[in-house]
Amino acid sequence: MSSNNGQTAKGSLTYFLIPILLFLLCGKSISPIFAQKGRPLVLEFPLTIYGSNIQYIACDTLGLCVYYTITKEDICEFHLLHYDRNLQQSDHIKQTYPAEISIEAACYGDEEAVFILQNKIKKKKSSSGIILRYNCRHQKADTLTVDGLPAGDISQMKSTQELTIYSALSSNEKKSNLYYLARGSRRAEALQIPDATDYLVEDFAIDTIYRHIFVGLKSTLNNQAVIWLCETDYQSKPLFTSFLPDTLSYRCESLRMTQLDTGRWFLAGTYASRNQDITMGVYTLPFFETDNRSPRFDSLRFHPYSAVSVVAPNNSHYFHTNGRIVQDSSHVAFITETLTPEYHDRPVYNYGIMTYEYTFYGYRYSSADVYVFNHDGTERWYYNFAYDNILSQKISSYLNISLRPDQYLLYYTRGNSMVTMLTNAQDEILDSKETSNLFPQSTYSTYDYDGTRLKEWYGGYYLLSGYKRSTKSSQGGSTFFIHKLWYR
């Protein structure tokens, strides 16, 4: 490993400990074998060397890929660093491209890390670019020039050995679509549904056994959301479309999906009252294909929020995120978050006269509603998790859940803080909600922490990443870090 690559540090951060669920500082140096028994490892990347656009992909048991670009005069260098599960560097891929190119999306699937690098013309995205596939097992990379890339940002991407698909918002038409890029093809094809010109892509998934794509779509009809499901083949040809079943009283207003088994799917999302146009809770809808590939919906179930997630203190109604779905071998968790836009009066001056202007201040998050379901859609557990003063300029997700045997670990990070809570399906709080600092700080600290996030990796391990920024300079001394943590 060269001195300019991310270095592995021993000790120096924390690991999960069930009795208190805190990150504890490990000050002494330890050998890598002990680091795998609860001691942390860390990669650090100085921003003066790697730049500020460094990112990573967790690749299950095949390690992780750290990637970034460096622009030098009229060229752009794309770097990919592959690390094994012990955070030891095992490969370094370097590709050189024209300066007007940027990393637009990346994902991991079927033992490959896949990257889309898109060309720009006068700072606007063109339809052409590069798709780079890196096989994490064999440590081989191949690239292909492609066309048909979207004008807007890619919001979600998934890949298999045969196909890469991604959704993106068109910057001109203000609507999203799904794009299919077959392996070896030089052009991505957009999903075309006859008689459906206006829709947003809610979610999508790939059935690699039947070689089908399932797409959740949203349309607006009479100023109300309509959710429907579309099944296509790998060539983007629609095979089946259907509105989600609902009732005269409620309508489905978002959709997330996860595959339970071959031909078996679990759909979930938020639902709203038709009369009052208020988001009321979460629905579940198992979905399966019969032996002759005929799709069928199972029982649609509604799971209402507690009252605290519906009506705000000022008697208005809360907004809710569309939800995030998490699965293990026997359960499915679904999390939505409750928020409200916040406005403040701020002084403005017109010709020397001060007046007040009502200005958007951000989104205030109040709580998250956490559901755990059995695979048939019946409710197993519900909890309303209160937030502590979260204000964000954009709508995003904070709370995460780890599904452990008869236990649920709830957690999120913000800057240098982490909040955790451990409970079980019997509504017993095994470890109460706790807020702690990820890194020790004092009034003399010279670093701030931001962009921190904690995500599950494999076998009880987690990855904590973020930026450690120097308070004495804009970039000098600042680093991007990735810590490997063990839960016990």
Side-chain angles (χ1 to χ4, degrees):
M1 184 185 301
S2 69
S3 60
N4 286 337
N5 289 335
Q7 299 298 299
T8 304
K10 303 165 187 175
S12 79
L13 192 69
T14 69
Y15 57 94
F16 282 108
L17 189 61
I18 278 185
I20 52 176
L21 281 176
L22 295 177
F23 280 103
L24 303 177
L25 184 65
C26 298
K28 56 184 180 180
S29 178
I30 51 179
S31 66
I33 187 170
F34 287 104
Q36 299 310 296
K37 291 185 177 294
R39 301 295 183 174
L41 295 173
V42 60
L43 296 173
E44 292 188 339
F45 303 89
L47 300 189
T48 52
I49 299 175
Y50 297 92
S52 59
N53 66 344
I54 188 167
Q55 302 173 70
Y56 81 95
I57 301 176
C59 305
D60 296 330
T61 57
L62 293 178
L64 61 92
C65 289
V66 177
Y67 58 97
Y68 58 97
T69 57
I70 296 178
T71 302
K72 298 180 178 179
E73 297 179 354
D74 59 345
I75 64 169
C76 175
E77 290 182 356
F78 171 82
H79 292 262
L80 189 156
L81 306 176
H82 184 203
Y83 294 87
D84 64 17
R85 290 182 296 177
N86 298 322
L87 301 193
Q88 299 299 309
Q89 185 179 325
S90 58
D91 200 8
H92 180 184
I93 301 296
K94 175 183 174 182
Q95 303 278 356
T96 301
Y97 301 106
E100 290 295 314
I101 199 168
S102 61
I103 305 169
E104 291 301 314
C107 70
Y108 173 78
D110 278 358
E111 300 188 346
E112 285 188 332
V114 182
F115 306 86
I116 290 180
L117 294 89
Q118 192 165 4
N119 295 323
K120 293 183 179 180
I121 300 175
K122 295 182 179 179
K123 297 184 178 182
K124 291 185 177 180
K125 297 176 183 178
S126 75
S127 62
S128 64
I130 302 289
I131 185 165
L132 186 150
R133 296 176 179 271
Y134 176 76
N135 189 295
C136 297
R137 182 172 298 279
H138 302 293
Q139 298 186 340
K140 292 183 179 180
D142 64 78
T143 59
L144 188 68
T145 301
V146 296
D147 201 3
L149 298 180
D153 293 338
I154 295 175
S155 55
Q156 190 178 174
M157 183 166 120
K158 299 177 182 179
S159 186
T160 70
Q161 290 290 334
E162 296 184 72
L163 181 71
T164 298
I165 57 177
Y166 51 88
S167 61
L169 185 71
S170 170
S171 59
N172 297 323
E173 299 178 3
K174 301 298 182 183
K175 64 180 184 180
S176 65
N177 206 342
L178 194 67
Y179 297 82
Y180 297 63
L181 183 60
R183 193 182 193 102
S185 174
R186 292 185 176 272
R187 182 172 182 81
E189 301 294 337
L191 174 63
Q192 301 291 337
I193 302 176
D195 303 322
T197 58
D198 184 17
Y199 55 79
L200 298 173
V201 176
E202 282 280 292
D203 198 7
F204 60 89
I206 307 174
D207 188 330
T208 57
I209 303 299
Y210 289 165
R211 302 182 76 252
H212 287 175
I213 311 298
F214 289 93
V215 193
L217 303 167
K218 176 189 287 187
S219 299
T220 301
L221 199 62
N222 298 326
N223 295 322
Q224 292 190 339
V226 176
I227 301 297
W228 43 298
L229 189 68
C230 176
E231 181 182 5
T232 79
D233 59 17
Y234 273 19
Q235 289 72 46
S236 76
K237 177 184 176 182
L239 304 174
F240 157 83
T241 57
S242 174
F243 291 117
L244 262 60
D246 56 13
T247 69
L248 295 176
S249 300
Y250 304 117
R251 70 171 190 277
C252 303
E253 61 176 6
S254 70
L255 186 151
R256 298 293 181 264
M257 64 179 71
T258 185
Q259 187 173 22
L260 303 177
D261 200 352
T262 302
R264 294 182 60 226
W265 298 81
F266 190 96
L267 312 182
T270 57
Y271 73 90
S273 164
R274 289 189 183 278
N275 294 332
Q276 299 175 297
D277 197 25
I278 300 169
T279 303
M280 303 295 294
V282 168
Y283 73 87
T284 56
L285 180 61
F287 174 82
F288 64 96
E289 292 183 287
T290 59
D291 293 339
N292 61 358
R293 304 284 179 85
S294 177
R296 293 286 186 272
F297 292 117
D298 206 336
S299 301
L300 174 67
R301 292 183 171 91
F302 296 106
H303 311 271
Y305 291 138
S306 62
V308 70
S309 295
V310 179
V311 181
N314 59 2
N315 290 325
S316 64
H317 295 288
Y318 280 119
F319 293 92
H320 298 84
T321 59
N322 290 331
R324 190 157 47 87
I325 200 164
V326 179
Q327 175 196 357
D328 72 355
S329 59
S330 57
H331 305 109
V332 177
F334 192 78
I335 301 174
T336 65
E337 286 158 293
T338 301
L339 58 111
T340 183
E342 190 170 305
Y343 295 85
H344 288 186
D345 286 331
R346 70 179 184 91
V348 294
Y349 293 86
N350 293 311
Y351 302 103
I353 299 175
M354 186 185 74
T355 58
Y356 286 92
E357 184 178 81
Y358 203 47
T359 305
F360 175 70
Y361 193 64
Y363 297 99
R364 183 72 65 178
Y365 282 70
S366 61
S367 64
D369 291 279
V370 186
Y371 295 85
V372 178
F373 303 106
N374 299 311
H375 281 184
D376 63 358
T378 56
E379 186 175 321
R380 180 180 174 87
W381 185 75
Y382 168 72
Y383 189 80
N384 179 266
F385 185 92
Y387 282 133
D388 297 323
N389 195 32
I390 291 182
L391 181 68
S392 175
Q393 294 302 305
K394 61 180 182 179
I395 297 176
S396 58
S397 297
Y398 292 96
L399 190 66
N400 299 282
I401 184 171
S402 290
L403 298 172
R404 306 180 63 81
D406 199 38
Q407 293 180 350
Y408 310 126
L409 174 65
L410 303 175
Y411 61 93
Y412 71 91
T413 60
R414 290 266 298 167
N416 191 36
S417 295
M418 182 179 72
V419 180
T420 57
M421 190 185 81
L422 184 69
T423 183
N424 62 18
Q426 289 74 45
D427 291 328
E428 297 171 336
I429 304 298
L430 305 180
D431 196 87
S432 59
K433 181 180 174 184
E434 186 89 28
T435 302
S436 59
N437 284 338
L438 292 166
F439 304 92
Q441 281 191 303
S442 68
T443 55
Y444 305 102
S445 297
T446 58
Y447 289 98
D448 286 331
Y449 297 87
D450 63 69
T452 53
R453 61 173 182 161
L454 183 69
K455 60 187 295 185
E456 282 191 79
W457 192 9
Y458 73 94
Y461 287 102
Y462 292 74
L463 291 173
L464 173 72
S465 63
Y467 290 93
K468 181 176 70 172
R469 301 189 186 277
S470 170
T471 58
K472 296 186 177 298
S473 64
S474 60
Q475 188 166 331
S478 300
T479 63
F480 176 75
F481 59 82
I482 304 174
H483 288 266
K484 179 181 179 181
L485 309 170
W486 185 52
Y487 180 85
R488 71 175 189 183

